Amino acid sequence: MIWNHKDLISIQNLEREEIENILEMATSFKEISTREIKKVPTLRGKTVVLLFYEPSTRTKLSFEIAAKRLSADTVSLSVSGSSFEKGETIMDATRNVMAMAPDCIIIRYPYAGTPERLGKALPCSVINAGDGFHEHPTQALLDMYSIKERFGRLDGLNIAIVGDIMHSRVARSNVYGMKKLGAKVVLVAPRTLLPVGVEAWGVEVSSDFDPIIPDMDIIMMLRVQRERMKQCFFSDEREYTVFYGLDMPRIKKMKPDAIIMHPGPFNRGVEITGDIAYSPRSVIFRQVENGVAVRMTLLYLYLGGAHVD
Amino acid sequence: MWIKSARIVDPGQQLDFTGNIHIEKGKIKAVEKASSPMPGTMHEEVIDARGLWVFPGIIDMHAHLREPGYEYKEDVYTGSLAAAAGGVTTVVCMANTEPINDNPSVTKYILDKAEEAGLVRILPAGAVTKGQEGKVLSEMGLMKKAGIVAVSDDGKPVEDTSIMRRALEYAATFGLLLISHCEDRRLSEAGVMNEGALSSELGLPGIPSAAEEVMVARDTIISSYTSCPVHITHVSTQGSLEIIRNAKAKGIKVSCDVTPHHLLLDETRLYDYDTNAKMYPPLRTGADRKALLQGLASGVIDVIASDHAPHARDEKDLDFDVAPFGAIGLQTLLPAVLRLHFDYGLGLMQVLSLVTVNPARLLGIDGGTLKPGSRADITIVDPSTNWTLSEDMIMSKSKNSPFLGETFRGEVVYTICNGQIVYRKNGI
Amino acid sequence: MQDVFMGSEEIQGIIAGLVDAMEKHFSSWNDVCFIGIRQGGVHVARHIVKALKGRGINVPLGVLDISLYRDDISRRLFYPEVKGTDIPFDLNDMRIILVDDVLWTGRSARAAIDHIVDLGRPKRIYLLVLFDRGGREIPIQPDFVGRKVDLEPTKLIKLIVPEDGKGIGSVVVTELVG
């Protein structure tokens, strides 16, 4: 196998076979985390910089653990407010970072496209840990891994992604990846939260949640941000929950072996009730665990060798 | 001065022949077919224009020269240099400077700077409302006396329909064309590119075509109601064009312009998040672009204007969402027009009229033609040269062109303004 | 160009010899285990474990993936796929017989030893190889050698495992690419 990508910006840039390889290899990396010594020397002497321009607990932690278990050195920079809002360009900001001679920059950014531009400008690998409403490829890979772990495949599975599709980078990356692996995806949201031109994604779209529930193997709930109410994307939480929230009566209509996912963090009582998040159908916490294995795989692939262009 | 043995194309007089032009005291003295004998004295300068094409000086009725206030982006002098290098002899500069050009002293300041630069003709457009705040009408009459040729809310459109109505009536009072930037800012919101499948894919907030079209509809309705002319600038959607076509058919006094970038590029240019291709209105879909090209052919579109909008590199280096809207265009206006002729099969006379006689008529200014007695504003191009736009050729202070790296056919070799050569290609 | 260097019968013979040698060496087997290095080593180890079983000796077998312990990771242009380590027993205080098909530079054995000590603290590690072709780049010595072979540095010797995994397969010698 040859890995000829310098940057991981979008799931769209990965071939089906490449995604399958990542998911396959992640199982090997998962084993490392079960050892007493949870560390391999693979990336000794490599420097991984985590640049997080948006608050994140899980993704950042997950990447950091992944890098450390592979023996890479990590430097973590959380940039909030001050220097960023003054209009400092990302190029200015990364100039300091480049002095550390990083082998990889993992970036979470509030605006779409900046990781891609950065990847083009910098010699090191750039891994997109979420950019605006664009993509969050590592999240999608770990979601697909969690599905494959449960079902052994994605081919032919029916997957519903429910909620704020418009503002969700997780939904975009998952749609691209899941489709490549042969799953059938339905997006469920009120018309206001469906992206314009969503028909072009080659998925089914519905604003009516209940009728599709019995056919689904996976229901993935997306976080609904409260500020969307003020922006008139929906009326209020009470109404949202009635039409698009996952509660016990809806769970009962699911297939016996169907599962529930959520990229987190979830709003209890809005898109999902608390008891459901912890129910046996939920793989929400496996998702977190699998995140480390998938990210170790990615760091190994993107950092483990000379790049072939 | 004589220009000898050139192909002379003047849409204003519907001339297209090989001949000579005689210039005297800043005016066109004569235009004649080559067969006629060539008089003149030995001490007059002669431009041997064999194989070259000669047009009336190009008029760009929509540009931002940024002075006063934003001289780090551009100033009247560098803007003039860019215009001259692009074969543009008349530039209408927009009022969204700092301070806003909403009173005769700012107008006069700009005209003084233009005279200092001494290259091309700079004609300011005044603001529609004071401070472009959309509340109180500006001193249109006094500014006209000081030298403005139009009023425009470009950069900050008038939201209040009743003020727009009064503005159209007030501008008509002074015979000033109102150039309207059509954008419903509530609808375009935080958008940074055309709204559609691609904006959803790229994760960039969209600007719906409707944000332009509702305002085009509003302005044409108000124009019809008041019988006052309105000029819609930088039309970018199929829908807007449709509204304008219908309005024109009903005899409403509406005119419009489009930009070279909307004619030659579409939204797919944004796949790499290049901020040089971020502008308002945004690059639209392939279908919109096609409609604009058809609009040229059918004559619905009156003018091509650059919407030259310089921004410093630091500003364009910002994230796509944050970087300012706008692209420079003074130097690529005529090359784009020539491309429409060479690559899109549009008649030379037809496309040239959109940057010469048409804007002159709409603005009520002289120039835009080679008729004897008119200003000797002349652009001479070598139609055989292919050249590729690179940053070092750009005369503007800012280099934010979406056409960087693109090859054009036809190169400006001389620009003559008011009888003076203001640009001469290196080596000529 | 690849020549069949050795057929399955001959390999089986070598394995039988190795088993004899080990039987002689180990008086007790209850703290002994085999760990095969992916891929060739695992295959050889499987056949040894099978042969011992035929003699009434049951020894556990684990699988080691050394991809993550290699010392040339930044220099490779292609990536060995990581298939994972699978050792379903406790290594602490065990005597481990590390198995590989070919011993050459010694770098794989070094990586394997590093990997093993991350998994526990064995009492002793032995190294068993089917072929020792010399050419060591680090001080590694095998304890059990099937056969010593003498090859030019431009040649590569490897065990070709049958696709169905049954049978010992054959040994080929090829030109080293690059």
Side-chain angles (χ1 to χ4, degrees):
Chain A
M1 181 186 40
I2 289 173
W3 197 259
N4 58 3
H5 301 283
K6 179 175 95 70
D7 307 318
L8 175 59
I9 305 299
S10 159
I11 289 284
Q12 282 185 297
N13 302 336
L14 296 177
E15 303 292 330
R16 176 181 181 144
E17 210 192 349
E18 291 172 325
I19 296 173
E20 281 170 344
N21 268 324
I22 292 167
L23 303 187
E24 194 81 32
M25 278 171 64
T27 306
S28 310
F29 283 92
K30 200 173 173 182
E31 179 264 332
I32 294 167
S33 299
T34 66
R35 295 180 195 166
E36 205 169 312
I37 298 173
K38 301 177 187 61
K39 199 179 187 78
V40 290
T42 319
L43 299 181
R44 261 177 317 165
K46 302 273 186 189
T47 305
V48 173
V49 173
L50 295 118
L51 269 184
F52 276 65
Y53 281 78
E54 258 183 4
S56 153
T57 346
R58 234 147 336 162
T59 306
K60 194 170 143 205
L61 210 61
S62 174
F63 265 115
E64 204 159 343
I65 292 172
K68 287 188 161 139
R69 291 203 171 149
L70 292 171
S71 300
D73 297 314
T74 59
V75 182
S76 167
L77 278 168
S78 293
V79 189
S80 59
S82 62
S83 69
F84 178 50
E85 278 160 20
K86 261 186 265 158
E88 184 187 37
T89 72
I90 181 77
M91 295 300 165
D92 289 337
T94 47
R95 203 159 294 148
N96 293 324
V97 171
M98 286 315 286
M100 301 174 205
D103 298 282
C104 177
I105 291 178
I106 294 161
I107 182 166
R108 157 73 56 97
Y109 208 72
Y111 300 119
T114 301
E116 172 157 346
R117 287 167 72 198
L118 214 54
K120 288 215 175 97
L122 301 180
C124 65
S125 278
V126 173
I127 293 179
N128 180 7
D131 63 330
F133 312 143
H134 179 221
E135 284 224 39
H136 191 352
T138 64
Q139 175 72 41
L141 288 166
L142 78 89
D143 288 339
M144 290 187 277
Y145 180 80
S146 301
I147 292 169
K148 212 185 148 207
E149 195 177 48
R150 184 62 82 100
F151 292 92
R153 71 195 154 94
L154 268 89
D155 234 326
L157 293 181
N158 289 309
I159 304 172
I161 304 179
V162 185
D164 186 357
I165 312 287
M166 180 184 271
H167 302 97
S168 174
R169 52 197 175 211
V170 175
R172 281 168 178 77
S173 291
N174 264 314
V175 164
Y176 302 141
M178 288 166 172
K179 275 188 61 211
K180 280 186 185 186
L181 296 194
K184 277 188 277 176
V185 183
V186 192
L187 303 177
V188 183
R191 287 282 297 269
T192 45
L193 291 174
L194 284 169
V196 176
V198 69
E199 314 79 46
W201 295 3
V203 292
E204 269 183 61
V205 176
S206 171
S207 289
D208 198 354
F209 191 14
D210 286 300
I212 65 143
I213 294 174
D215 297 323
M216 292 300 121
D217 298 295
I218 296 112
I219 293 178
M220 179 182 284
M221 303 303 292
L222 298 176
R223 178 184 168 80
V224 173
Q225 291 179 329
R226 290 186 166 85
E227 64 253 34
R228 303 292 176 220
M229 279 188 286
K230 280 182 247 144
Q231 297 165 323
C232 281
F233 286 102
F234 61 96
S235 169
D236 54 27
E237 285 174 15
R238 187 170 75 142
E239 180 164 276
Y240 185 88
T241 307
V242 169
F243 287 92
Y244 300 102
L246 197 54
D247 54 8
M248 265 310 161
R250 288 201 165 108
I251 294 273
K252 287 190 179 128
K253 289 193 284 177
M254 288 171 73
K255 280 187 191 175
D257 59 345
I259 58 168
I260 300 158
M261 302 181 82
H262 193 302
F266 44 83
N267 288 324
R268 278 201 183 75
V270 185
E271 73 267 4
I272 195 161
T273 54
D275 49 334
I276 290 169
Y278 291 94
S279 82
R281 280 184 186 280
S282 162
V283 297
I284 292 170
F285 296 98
R286 300 226 88 185
Q287 282 171 273
V288 180
E289 189 186 327
N290 291 338
V292 175
V294 167
R295 290 180 175 118
M296 282 172 82
T297 311
L298 294 168
L299 288 171
Y300 171 70
L301 289 171
Y302 283 87
L303 282 168
H307 294 110
V308 184
D309 287 316
Chain B
M1 188 196 298
W2 281 90
I3 300 164
K4 209 177 93 182
S5 309
R7 176 181 176 193
I8 298 165
V9 186
D10 179 13
Q13 304 178 81
Q14 292 290 303
L15 298 183
D16 185 350
F17 57 66
T18 303
N20 309 319
I21 297 176
H22 191 197
I23 299 161
E24 205 177 74
K25 289 177 188 149
K27 303 264 184 230
I28 309 266
K29 190 160 186 225
V31 178
E32 53 199 22
K33 289 205 175 176
S35 52
S36 47
M38 215 184 88
T41 50
M42 291 303 287
H43 63 266
E44 277 185 297
E45 185 173 359
V46 174
I47 293 172
D48 179 356
R50 274 173 298 179
L52 304 181
W53 294 358
V54 174
F55 310 141
I58 305 303
I59 298 171
D60 186 350
M61 71 178 282
H62 189 145
H64 298 267
L65 298 184
R66 304 298 189 206
E67 191 174 6
Y70 304 102
E71 290 85 352
Y72 68 96
K73 297 174 195 254
E74 188 87 285
D75 58 36
V76 170
Y77 175 65
T78 55
S80 300
L81 282 175
V88 174
T89 55
T90 300
V91 178
V92 176
C93 61
M94 290 295 148
N96 58 338
T97 46
E98 177 54 46
I100 304 272
N101 183 17
D102 59 2
N103 65 76
S105 53
V106 179
T107 308
K108 202 165 169 314
Y109 178 85
I110 296 167
L111 288 170
D112 285 349
K113 288 286 166 185
E115 205 183 322
E116 253 173 61
L119 291 166
V120 300
R121 178 167 58 157
I122 307 289
L123 301 173
V128 173
T129 57
K130 285 190 177 167
Q132 289 196 318
E133 281 173 354
K135 289 174 187 155
V136 180
L137 294 176
S138 66
E139 295 171 342
M140 294 185 196
L142 292 176
M143 283 195 288
K144 177 159 189 192
K145 279 190 147 181
I148 65 165
V149 292
V151 287
S152 179
D153 56 355
D154 191 64
K156 231 180 153 198
V158 175
E159 234 173 66
D160 186 319
T161 310
S162 112
I163 290 173
M164 190 61 178
R165 173 211 174 153
R166 298 303 176 208
L168 279 178
E169 291 169 339
Y170 200 57
T173 305
F174 300 105
L176 286 166
L177 185 66
L178 192 148
I179 300 173
S180 176
H181 163 125
C182 289
E183 175 185 4
D184 180 332
R185 291 214 155 177
R186 300 255 163 96
L187 201 47
S188 57
E189 233 188 325
V192 295
M193 70 170 286
N194 182 50
E195 182 173 278
L198 189 64
S199 66
S200 294
E201 183 186 332
L202 294 177
L204 293 172
I207 300 170
S209 52
E212 176 177 314
E213 289 157 8
V214 292
M215 295 308 251
V216 172
R218 179 196 77 168
D219 287 357
T220 50
I221 289 165
I222 298 296
S223 163
S224 165
Y225 186 75
T226 58
S227 300
C228 296
V230 66
H231 178 85
I232 313 291
T233 190
H234 49 50
V235 169
S236 71
T237 78
Q238 191 170 7
S240 297
L241 215 54
E242 205 53 50
I243 295 165
I244 293 165
R245 188 196 323 277
N246 292 337
K248 282 188 167 187
K250 283 189 208 151
I252 298 169
K253 290 181 226 164
V254 56
S255 55
C256 69
D257 68 69
V258 296
T259 72
H261 44 266
H262 289 106
L263 289 166
L264 299 179
L265 305 172
D266 65 36
E267 59 176 0
T268 58
R269 179 70 177 67
L270 292 174
Y271 265 116
D272 59 356
Y273 297 90
D274 182 356
T275 53
N276 283 348
K278 177 184 176 182
M279 61 279 284
Y280 189 89
L283 295 176
R284 301 287 188 182
T285 65
D288 287 311
R289 182 178 159 234
K290 213 174 132 196
L292 295 185
L293 288 166
Q294 281 165 356
L296 283 185
S298 69
V300 181
I301 294 164
D302 300 279
V303 171
I304 299 176
S306 73
D307 195 5
H308 177 81
H311 291 293
R313 190 182 305 275
D314 277 1
E315 297 171 300
K316 281 292 189 179
D317 265 353
L318 293 168
D319 306 301
F320 197 93
D321 276 76
V322 180
F325 292 94
I328 56 167
L330 278 169
Q331 259 176 282
T332 43
L333 173 62
L334 178 57
V337 164
L338 291 173
R339 184 186 284 186
L340 291 167
H341 168 60
F342 289 126
D343 296 354
Y344 294 83
L346 290 156
L348 186 57
M349 188 82 81
Q350 189 189 2
V351 288
L352 272 181
S353 67
L354 301 172
V355 285
T356 55
V357 60
N358 289 6
R361 274 183 198 149
L362 279 170
L363 295 165
I365 57 174
D366 59 344
T369 176
L370 299 172
K371 218 172 179 169
S374 45
R375 287 172 59 91
D377 289 355
I378 295 170
T379 299
I380 306 179
V381 304
D382 179 349
S384 64
T385 317
N386 287 300
W387 57 281
T388 303
L389 184 69
S390 62
E391 280 198 14
D392 58 323
M393 320 177 164
I394 293 174
M395 306 300 288
S396 288
K397 271 189 196 169
S398 301
K399 315 294 176 193
N400 53 310
S401 169
F403 294 117
L404 280 169
E406 286 215 29
T407 298
F408 292 93
R409 181 176 163 196
E411 192 178 20
V412 175
V413 286
Y414 287 99
T415 305
I416 296 166
C417 187
N418 215 12
Q420 302 297 313
I421 296 175
V422 293
Y423 173 78
R424 188 193 294 257
K425 192 197 149 196
N426 283 343
I428 299 258
Chain C
M1 251 264 316
Q2 72 178 39
D3 300 323
V4 173
F5 181 77
M6 197 178 278
S8 62
E9 237 166 81
E10 204 178 341
I11 304 169
Q12 288 290 10
I14 294 172
I15 285 178
L18 282 165
V19 171
D20 288 345
M22 281 186 285
E23 257 202 292
K24 215 175 280 171
H25 186 275
F26 294 100
S27 47
S28 150
W29 288 91
N30 47 25
D31 61 347
V32 178
C33 65
F34 283 93
I35 290 181
I37 300 174
R38 281 186 191 274
Q39 298 285 330
V42 177
H43 188 65
V44 173
R46 244 180 227 132
H47 280 269
I48 291 174
V49 167
K50 206 169 121 194
L52 281 168
K53 204 172 181 181
R55 301 183 190 191
I57 302 162
N58 282 317
V59 190
L61 169 64
V63 173
L64 206 61
D65 186 327
I66 58 162
S67 317
L68 302 176
Y69 288 82
R70 301 188 62 104
D71 59 7
D72 59 352
I73 283 165
S74 326
R75 300 169 61 181
R76 302 167 72 88
L77 284 183
F78 60 93
Y79 297 81
E81 278 169 58
V82 180
K83 305 235 160 147
T85 287
D86 181 19
I87 295 170
F89 47 84
D90 188 359
L91 286 178
N92 286 307
D93 300 319
M94 292 289 274
R95 287 186 292 167
I96 294 171
I97 303 169
L98 188 61
V99 182
D100 209 352
D101 50 352
V102 179
L103 178 61
W104 189 4
T105 62
R107 288 177 193 268
S108 295
R110 194 279 309 158
I113 293 162
D114 279 356
H115 189 351
I116 287 170
V117 299
D118 272 359
L119 300 174
R121 190 180 184 282
K123 191 192 281 172
R124 171 144 192 204
I125 302 172
Y126 297 89
L127 178 60
L128 178 152
V129 294
L130 201 53
F131 299 108
D132 178 358
R133 60 172 293 185
R136 222 73 80 234
E137 289 169 5
I138 37 180
I140 295 272
Q141 281 306 313
D143 300 283
F144 304 97
V145 177
R147 175 145 332 155
K148 287 199 173 185
V149 290
D150 197 14
L151 288 167
E152 288 164 53
T154 59
K155 303 274 185 190
L156 197 67
I157 179 168
K158 60 180 180 192
L159 182 65
I160 301 292
V161 180
E163 272 186 27
D164 58 6
K166 288 174 193 159
I168 188 74
S170 58
V171 172
V172 298
V173 171
T174 57
E175 281 298 320
L176 195 61
V177 190

